[in-house]
Each structure stands twice: as C-alpha cells, then as structure tokens.
Amino acid sequence: MLADAARGFLDEAAPVGKLRAMRDAGQTHDPDLWQQMARMGWAGVLVPEEAGGADMGHAAANVLAGEMGRSLSVSPFLSTAVIAATALRQVADERAKTALASIAGGTRTYALAVDEGAKHDPEASQLRAERVGNGFRLTGGKRFVIDGGFADRLLVLARTDAGLTLFDIPADRAGIARSAQRMIDGRDAAQIAFHGVEATGDDVLGQVDGAMSVLVPALRAGQAALAAEMAGLAAGAFGITVEYLKERKQFGAPIGSFQALQHRAAHLWCECEVTASAILHAGRVLDESPGDAGLAVSLAKARATQTAQLAVQEGVQMHGGNGMTDAFDMGFYMKRARVGAEWLGDYGYHAGVVARLRGF
C-alpha cells in the first residue's frame, strides 16, 4: 500500500520528465517537492512519534526510496530523512530531539561530510579537530558531499586526539567554504573546505572520539536506502525497456517477439527480483537487529549496484541507437546508476565487507 501510494504521488509530482526539466534549467534540487514529501510524513519516516515523526522503520524507508529510484525523484530524502535521522536517534538528548522534529517538519536538511579520498573510507578521515580551550577548531576538507551545496547543516567526521568525532554544525558557520557541483545525474554534490571552523562541545554528536557508535548505524541505514533506490531505478529502467520492446517493430514484428531479446529481458527480471529480496531482508534486519545488519546491508548494496548497472546497460542496448540519444530517458537512469554506485561505498567496498563477515 505504501509503495502504491508513493508511486501515484511521484508519477504525478516528480516523473523523469521533471528531472529533465531541472537539468535543462540548471536546477539541482526542488525545495517544493521536499515540502510536499514532508507533509505526507516521508521526512519523518524514521523520526520517533514523540518528535513528530511517523517512525515506520527502515523497511518502510526503503520502500519510499525504491519508488523514488523508479521515477528518479530528486530530494534530500537519503541524506536527511535516513542518514541524519538515524544518526540523531543514536543520541538521547534534547538537542537531538529538536533536530529530529525539524527534519520531520521539513524545515531542516542535512548533508553527510565523511569522505576525503576517491573512494568511500570514513575511518581514513584526516580532517582535523584540534582542541582549543573547551572547544575545537576544524581544519581540512571533504569531497563528494551529496546535497552539500544546499543543506542547512552538516554532519562532519573529524579526527580528534584519540579517534574520530562526529560534529553537527550549521553549513553557514564562519570558516566553511562550499563549492557546489552538479554531478552527471544532474544532482547536487559539494567539496567543502574547513578553515579553522570553531565548534563547541554542544556541536559533538555522541561522544568525543566515539563517532562510529553514531555513524555506523547511520551509514548502514543510508546504504540500505540507497540500495533500495538503485533497485527501484533498475525496475524503472526495466519497465521502460519492456515497453519499448513491445512498441518497436523490425521486419514487421515487435522486437520483443525475438527470442534473444526475450532471454535478456527474462534474465534482467530475475536479477531485479533477487535484488528486491536482498533489499527487503536488509530492511527487516535493520528494524529487528540493527547491530547485526552489516552483512545484509552490504549484500543489498553490492547486488543493487550490479543489478542497476545491468539494467541500464541492457536498456541502452535494447533501445538500439536510440538508447544513446538524449531524447530517450534511459540515459538519465544510466547516469544516476553511476553516481549511486560510488556513493557510500562501491561494489568492491561492499563485496569486501561481505567477504570479511563471511570469514573469507
């Protein structure tokens, strides 16, 4: 029911054609769409009821993410409603509750600033948080900060004296320089420089030197939701490909009647179904036993990355020469699949996690 309701709304309010219009206008985000999502309760899907949220759990968040992937909807859902909300839920203080209420109300957006190198590797963060009196001074840089060009606040991972610390700071604080960039999928990312940014103890999310107790659950939630979005993307690409196979004629017959193309379409459908099962499993484990979700989440992200890549490649191939033109929407799916593959860990990263957790 949730998927049907989300699909009906997104087909009308945020179809692929809207992404095309945003790209042509140079627009990387849609504040009005986010407000509509917030009014429907999507921004608070992981926010406790006492903070004004729906608290529907990760399985439900993944359903919403999957439908957004199907129509390539542009919103800060993953960075704000999933990653930031999950991080804030790990901290039981009034400041976190206030922030969660702001997320649920659609009045505050977040971006996650953790990566500094070419690949996802939070524990390698070198941005320095030097102690100065009762506070800190942040110096360094972050890259590939999704939604970082417009977010109200930043979750910043920094190296402190004995480990890593997560800070929750306003994006417009003195010393922060944001360089917004439009990615190949038309969405926003940013490189962010921290020039002696002052932070207090109140800006620390969780404990000093204890970032991972807050960050790991948030990353897993984000990775699972991103996997769900990519699975939805694969389903969307598969759907428009099948429609094209039914419509396009060659030698007087629909090309979908050719057995070779039927075999390829059947194989892709099977891959989409298996990946959908992995997504459902990851959401269930996150809801029931989040501390044990690492294997399920990484399996889902690895499979979704692989399936999305197969779906867009087959989509381009089965569209023939048309698949390479901007007039067809398949290129938008391919570009989003490429960005999604890299964010929060690529196939190799998650395959490595799966291997380690299985004892290889």
Side-chain angles (χ1 to χ4, degrees), residues 56-281:
M56 295 180 70
H58 294 281
N62 291 351
V63 168
L64 294 175
E67 294 306 320
M68 293 180 198
R70 188 185 294 267
S71 63
L72 301 182
S73 304
V74 179
S75 80
F77 179 77
L78 293 183
S79 56
T80 299
V82 176
I83 296 173
T86 302
L88 290 162
R89 289 193 67 156
Q90 311 307 308
V91 183
D93 61 26
E94 289 303 317
R95 182 169 173 268
K97 291 179 182 178
T98 300
L100 284 165
S102 297
I103 288 175
T107 59
R108 182 180 294 187
T109 54
Y110 276 86
L112 180 66
V114 296
D115 288 320
E116 299 172 12
K119 293 292 182 179
H120 178 65
D121 190 4
E123 294 187 359
S125 292
Q126 295 301 313
L127 186 147
R128 186 69 184 168
E130 179 186 3
R131 278 196 176 274
V132 179
N134 293 326
F136 300 87
R137 182 178 293 121
L138 277 59
T139 304
K142 297 292 184 180
R143 61 192 298 182
F144 198 33
V145 182
I146 303 296
D147 300 332
F150 67 86
D152 303 314
R153 299 186 70 87
L154 303 172
L155 294 181
V156 184
L157 185 63
R159 189 161 295 279
T160 40
D161 293 335
L164 293 167
T165 301
L166 191 63
F167 293 87
D168 177 357
I169 58 179
D172 59 356
R173 181 164 288 179
I176 295 178
R178 295 191 282 182
S179 176
Q181 298 175 325
R182 191 169 71 171
M183 297 184 292
I184 59 170
D185 64 349
R187 303 188 188 195
D188 170 78
Q191 293 191 27
I192 303 180
F194 296 81
H195 302 289
V197 177
E198 294 184 0
T200 68
D202 290 338
D203 295 322
V204 174
L205 195 59
Q207 300 296 319
V208 175
D209 300 324
M212 289 306 168
S213 64
V214 174
L215 185 59
V216 168
L219 286 174
R220 287 177 178 172
Q223 288 158 350
L226 179 57
E229 181 186 325
M230 296 183 71
L233 179 155
F238 175 73
I240 62 175
T241 299
V242 169
E243 289 303 313
Y244 185 78
L245 294 181
K246 294 177 180 178
E247 295 172 0
R248 171 67 170 163
K249 290 186 177 181
Q250 204 170 54
F251 308 114
I255 61 174
S257 65
F258 301 158
Q259 192 174 53
L261 295 183
Q262 290 177 353
H263 287 171
R264 290 167 67 172
H267 174 235
L268 177 55
W269 180 86
C270 291
E271 292 297 313
C272 288
E273 289 297 301
V274 174
T275 298
S277 295
I279 304 299
L280 289 171
H281 178 61

Side-chain angles (χ1 to χ4, degrees), residues 223 226-228 230-231 234 267-279 295-311 345-348 350-351 354:
Q223 288 158 350
L226 179 57
M230 296 183 71
H267 174 235
L268 177 55
W269 180 86
C270 291
E271 292 297 313
C272 288
E273 289 297 301
V274 174
T275 298
S277 295
I279 304 299
L295 177 60
V297 168
S298 283
L299 177 62
K301 179 61 164 66
R303 273 212 62 92
T305 297
Q306 201 171 42
T307 302
Q309 181 180 22
L310 176 65
D346 60 10
Y347 178 86
H350 288 286
V354 172

